[in-house]
Amino acid sequence: SLSHPSEPHIPSGAPPPPERMRTLFLRVLGASMATFSSCRYAFSEKIERSHESQKKMANISADYVVYRCVEGGRDRQLVPASMEEMMDHFKRNTTRLIIMGEHHNDVVGHEIERLVYESLGNATLSLEMFCTDKQMIMNEYLNNLIPESAMEQECDIWPNYHTDYRPLVRYAKNRGLPVICANTPKRYITLNSSTIHKLSDRARKEFLPPIVYPASDDYSTKFVGIMRLMKSGEDMKTILKRMYPQLLWDATMGWKLVEALDDAKTPKILHICGSFHMANWLGIPEQMDQFLREYKHCEDVDSGQAFRNLGVTALIMPVEHNVIQDIMRNPRALDEKEVRSLEFGLEGGGPWADWVIFTDIKRTEDAYASMAALLRPKSSASDTSSRY
């Protein structure tokens, strides 16, 4: 049965306010707190035309920098690396799973995800953006049994699906590759663990994980820190109640990935999700590690190592334009203090992963400004004359 999260460690004091609220706003907008998951897309045709113009930008190499995490003793740092080095790591036979954490509105990040997916060749695609109860519908679409419009309507696609995720799904369809609908069905998110346990055996087996493991202290600290910033004024009891749905998302995605890895026909998986679900090897990697040790005969493996034996994480993080420019002019390793500063004071230790890709937030701001201009209604000549 599903278990309640244990009493988490509560950090002392609220996190310091961010220095640059504009950047943080865009980050929080892109965070994986189900901001988009309850919405329908709008203006899809206009947005898609805008995206086509973005794709004509032939070179995005000036819009991102790649780092690799190096750990030594108690210290760790990010050292400069290249996209080629990262892809070499992803393509190793021992790397069966790549989890890429994104900010959902990051224009450069989505370009990088497409580059990675297409470079992997025959990898299975797994997406947070589709819920597990939509898997049959997705399969029918991939097998040409239903039209794309029916799949989109039935799957309740995200507002930015056409611009950011449709190219991935279309690539999979055109090459006969599987797509895993990995997230928790939305109708279950508001349920507590005892209620979920009363669901039918079929619902729990097909759509949910066998258990939701309790939050670790590090996970709790990070979650509480972010919620205090986003939901300032909420008491601790309310914040902690919000943590179970987040754990359920992580556990559902983690379990679906473990199930897929069990299939010998799945040589490699690329899973794309919001950065909160995987940053600092928390969330999905934590839940997967426990699934692997308890259910897949990895009980003798040290905590954290079961996941790392087969999986790698890559975090895509938008930062200020001047930060990208400074790093490109002066390539250098980033120590814990510098990395932590990029989180604008949020508790949780900074944006750590096996690979970290910093993207230029200016590209996202420019793209959103272009979309706003495109969607803004234009006054006709008659309208103009009538106002004067």
Side-chain angles (χ1 to χ4, degrees):
S1 65
L2 296 165
S3 63
H4 289 280
S6 61
E7 188 67 21
H9 165 71
I10 306 302
S12 58
E19 296 177 2
R20 297 182 287 276
M21 288 304 296
R22 175 174 57 87
T23 299
L24 183 59
F25 171 76
L26 283 168
R27 284 241 206 109
V28 170
L29 181 65
S32 55
M33 297 292 182
T35 314
F36 288 141
S37 61
S38 62
C39 302
R40 293 274 187 178
Y41 71 91
F43 310 113
S44 61
E45 292 182 0
K46 290 184 177 180
I47 291 177
E48 192 160 13
R49 288 201 299 270
S50 174
H51 183 63
E52 288 301 316
S53 66
Q54 295 169 19
K55 289 201 299 185
K56 292 178 182 178
M57 295 182 172
N59 192 349
I60 62 169
S61 61
D63 298 318
Y64 69 88
V65 289
V66 178
Y67 276 86
R68 177 171 55 90
C69 180
V70 175
E71 299 187 66
R74 294 187 175 183
D75 299 323
R76 57 184 173 183
Q77 60 179 351
L78 296 179
V79 298
S82 67
M83 182 66 73
E84 290 74 22
E85 289 176 290
M86 186 178 76
M87 287 308 306
D88 285 344
H89 189 179
F90 290 177
K91 291 179 179 180
R92 293 175 190 169
N93 291 335
T94 52
T95 303
R96 295 200 58 208
L97 169 66
I98 302 112
I99 299 181
M100 297 195 78
E102 65 171 28
H103 290 255
H104 297 315
N105 60 339
D106 181 5
V107 170
V108 180
H110 292 304
E111 296 285 352
I112 291 171
E113 287 166 351
R114 282 194 284 278
L115 173 65
V116 168
Y117 181 45
E118 293 174 9
S119 298
L120 289 174
N122 65 339
T124 293
L125 177 66
S126 175
L127 295 171
E128 173 197 357
M129 299 79 201
F130 289 89
C131 296
T132 54
D133 59 342
K134 309 300 184 184
Q135 187 67 63
M136 181 178 70
I137 300 167
M138 176 61 73
N139 292 345
E140 289 172 347
Y141 165 65
L142 296 174
N143 292 318
N144 297 310
L145 298 176
I146 61 173
E148 184 178 41
S149 58
M151 181 277 288
E152 292 179 359
Q153 182 177 3
E154 294 293 328
C155 286
D156 195 22
I157 58 174
W158 287 20
N160 59 332
Y161 171 76
H162 276 221
T163 58
D164 300 327
Y165 308 113
R166 182 175 182 262
L168 299 171
V169 175
R170 293 282 296 180
Y171 184 89
K173 182 178 188 294
N174 291 339
R175 286 155 182 79
L177 300 172
V179 176
I180 299 171
C181 301
N183 207 356
T184 309
K186 287 184 285 187
R187 64 184 179 273
Y188 298 149
I189 290 300
T190 58
L191 304 181
N192 58 37
S193 59
S194 58
T195 305
I196 286 178
H197 183 55
K198 297 176 183 177
L199 295 173
S200 69
D201 290 343
R202 179 186 175 189
R204 286 186 286 115
K205 183 176 182 180
E206 290 188 20
F207 306 141
L208 296 169
I211 188 172
V212 177
Y213 291 103
S216 65
D217 286 351
D218 288 341
Y219 186 98
S220 301
T221 298
K222 183 176 182 180
F223 182 82
V224 171
I226 289 178
M227 292 305 294
R228 278 177 167 167
L229 183 65
M230 294 177 63
K231 304 280 186 179
S232 56
E234 284 192 341
D235 59 40
M236 189 56 60
K237 183 177 180 181
T238 302
I239 289 177
L240 295 182
K241 285 177 67 176
R242 293 182 183 276
M243 188 160 61
Y244 182 77
Q246 192 74 24
L247 286 167
L248 180 58
W249 284 327
D250 295 334
T252 302
M253 287 188 274
W255 180 247
K256 284 299 171 183
L257 293 172
V258 167
E259 284 188 319
L261 289 168
D262 238 5
D263 187 348
K265 297 178 181 178
T266 308
K268 198 179 296 288
I269 301 172
L270 172 65
H271 178 68
I272 296 175
C273 60
S275 59
F276 186 91
H277 293 293
M278 49 68 67
N280 309 323
W281 301 276
L282 303 174
I284 295 172
E286 270 191 323
Q287 294 285 332
M288 280 192 70
D289 190 75
Q290 295 181 85
F291 286 137
L292 290 167
R293 288 190 289 123
E294 184 166 344
Y295 290 90
K296 303 300 175 183
H297 312 294
C298 299
E299 58 272 8
D300 295 332
V301 179
D302 292 340
S303 177
Q305 196 58 45
F307 170 81
R308 292 201 175 194
N309 283 345
L310 54 83
V312 61
T313 59
L315 188 152
I316 308 174
M317 179 177 158
V319 295
E320 293 282 359
H321 177 70
N322 65 316
V323 174
I324 290 286
Q325 295 299 305
D326 176 58
I327 291 174
M328 286 184 170
R329 285 192 300 267
N330 180 26
R332 64 191 184 278
L334 303 177
D335 61 21
E336 292 240 19
K337 183 178 179 181
E338 287 183 280
V339 173
R340 186 183 293 270
S341 71
L342 294 172
E343 281 288 87
F344 302 109
L346 289 180
E347 300 192 49
W352 293 102
D354 297 300
W355 297 87
V356 177
I357 307 154
F358 295 115
T359 61
D360 190 345
I361 203 170
K362 187 175 185 299
R363 272 283 305 276
T364 295
E365 293 170 339
D366 291 346
Y368 271 62
S370 298
M371 284 185 190
L374 186 67
L375 297 174
R376 191 178 300 122
K378 296 180 179 179
S379 301
S380 65
S382 58
D383 290 337
T384 303
S385 61
S386 67
R387 289 199 302 269
Y388 292 93

